[in-house]
Amino acid sequence: MIKLGIIGYPLGHTLSPIMHKAALDYLQIDGDYIAIETPPDQLFDRIKYLKIEGFKGFNVTIPLKVWMVPLLNEVDEYANVAGAVNTVIISENKSLYGYNTDIDGFIEAIPEDLRKNLNSKRAAVFGSGGAARAVAIGLSLLGIDNITFYARNYEKAIKIKKVLADNFPDVKVNIQEYNEFANLSYAAIVVNATPIGMQGINEDISPINKRSIEGLNENTIVYDLIYKPRETKLLKYAKRHNLYTIDGLEMLVLQGAKALSLWTGVESPVNIMREAALKSLKGE
Ligand code: NAP
């Protein structure tokens, strides 16, 4: 029996148990994946519990992705660069190995032919939190030339800039005050890594004004990390303007598939995981 789970706080919204259980069933692996709400002050004890209970691994989500790092025995290269993990393996001897599969999910959700087009281009990223870090590393791995962050929190953006300067010295980074009216006509890809547009938070708002979307180049990709709703106000504007859009569901599914492969050692059934997530989103 393989025991898996997700820790974070709050966890009300998580689709991960549904996706992972569907995959385990499909693979005929005897296992379970449960959501375990874990406020930050309980992180240390929760990890002890997961080890004692014989968990093989777990996902980590808001707000624990950064706090988890110092508690690990080993960290994967890019998780270390990101300073954040979303996937942990517990080994036989109870050592903890951390990975950041958000980076893989972010990259792989961009169709391969479009990924190539991003080489040496410019990107605009809204937000400077944990997901923005994974996005910054993903874009750097894709060979982007320049990233402009539009950040409410300047300090966090400066930290990302430093991480990129240390690890991807060829990538130029600009930081601008968060501005929904920004002129983004330079960007080959625009990414929303803020929760603006998310169901239950500010669903009726777009992080980027309609006018700025209309000013985008016709080949620009508009990528919203939000998956609930799938079609955010931002993506609605972009579609109306005939731009190529990517919502957050594929990233969610692909980061989960990568995590499951790390735990099981077998290829994950991406289609089954996607289907399960979609069904759950539709409330079926
Ligand atoms: P986070 O660490 O809390 O960062 C959120 C960022 O958005 C911060 O820079 C925050 O600024 C900024 N922000 C929040 N509200 C804002 C507002 N009203 N105006 C301007 N900036 C604002 O969260 P995260 O983990 O990066 O997640 C960000 C989004 O990505 C969420 O919607 C999450 O669901 C999504 N996500 C999706 C996936 C996926 O697999 N599809 C994976 C990870 C995350 P402050 O620092 O000033 O608060």
Side-chain angles (χ1 to χ4, degrees):
M1 161 99 176
I2 180 168
K3 286 174 145 183
L4 302 167
I6 180 165
I7 61 169
Y9 190 84
L11 281 180
H13 65 284
T14 182
L15 292 177
S16 294
I18 283 160
M19 271 192 331
H20 285 282
K21 278 191 218 167
L24 289 170
D25 282 352
Y26 178 83
L27 293 168
Q28 299 185 330
I29 293 174
D30 179 21
D32 201 5
Y33 182 110
I34 56 171
I36 311 169
E37 286 218 323
T38 304
D41 61 345
Q42 290 175 22
L43 177 59
F44 199 72
D45 286 341
R46 185 70 80 222
I47 289 163
K48 259 196 212 163
Y49 164 85
L50 294 170
K51 286 182 179 181
I52 290 167
E53 290 297 315
F55 275 69
K56 171 74 187 166
F58 55 96
N59 281 129
V60 183
T61 189
I62 291 174
L64 307 175
K65 288 182 184 180
V66 174
W67 290 332
M68 189 65 222
V69 177
L71 306 179
L72 298 165
N73 297 88
E74 271 189 46
V75 194
D76 163 71
E77 181 186 359
Y78 292 122
N80 193 29
V81 171
V85 295
N86 75 329
T87 302
V88 176
I89 296 180
I90 306 179
S91 71
E92 292 280 314
N93 69 0
K94 308 296 176 196
S95 293
L96 301 174
Y97 297 84
Y99 301 83
N100 189 318
T101 69
D102 284 337
I103 300 171
D104 307 84
F106 170 76
I107 292 176
E108 287 166 22
I110 305 171
E112 217 167 336
D113 51 331
L114 298 184
R115 273 182 237 163
K116 286 181 205 135
N117 295 344
L118 294 175
N119 195 25
S120 304
K121 299 279 176 43
R122 298 185 65 185
V125 177
F126 284 73
S128 55
R133 279 183 174 235
V135 168
I137 292 161
L139 290 170
S140 301
L141 290 170
L142 289 173
I144 208 90
D145 178 64
N146 184 307
I147 306 175
T148 300
F149 289 95
Y150 294 88
R152 174 171 82 172
N153 188 322
Y154 219 78
E155 290 303 309
K156 284 189 191 166
I158 287 172
K159 280 190 189 153
I160 303 180
K161 182 172 180 167
K162 187 169 176 345
V163 163
L164 293 185
D166 290 345
N167 295 280
F168 299 96
D170 293 340
V171 179
K172 300 166 200 75
V173 175
N174 304 315
I175 303 173
Q176 301 275 335
E177 198 72 35
Y178 175 86
N179 173 13
E180 64 171 306
F181 299 102
N183 178 349
L184 305 172
S185 57
Y186 63 84
I189 183 166
V190 174
V191 184
N192 176 33
T194 78
I196 303 171
M198 208 162 132
Q199 194 180 82
I201 297 190
N202 24 39
E203 194 171 346
D204 293 332
I205 307 172
S206 168
I208 306 167
N209 186 271
K210 203 162 106 188
R211 284 275 170 80
S212 296
I213 299 292
E214 285 164 1
L216 291 174
N217 187 297
E218 61 180 1
N219 296 319
T220 304
I221 299 170
V222 179
Y223 194 155
D224 198 332
L225 303 197
I226 292 171
Y227 53 84
K228 211 174 189 174
R230 285 192 74 193
E231 190 174 272
T232 55
K233 194 115 188 178
L234 168 63
L235 294 189
K236 270 194 190 118
Y237 288 157
K239 280 182 188 172
R240 244 182 255 161
H241 198 54
N242 294 322
L243 297 168
Y244 190 89
T245 60
I246 303 174
D247 64 55
L249 188 72
E250 198 61 8
M251 173 173 168
L252 179 82
V253 170
L254 294 170
Q255 64 75 28
K258 178 76 195 259
L260 189 65
S261 292
L262 286 167
W263 296 317
T264 62
V266 299
E267 200 178 321
S268 298
V270 175
N271 291 339
I272 299 291
M273 296 177 85
R274 186 185 298 115
E275 205 178 286
L278 272 170
K279 254 190 181 174
S280 171
L281 276 180
K282 285 181 192 156
E284 287 172 26

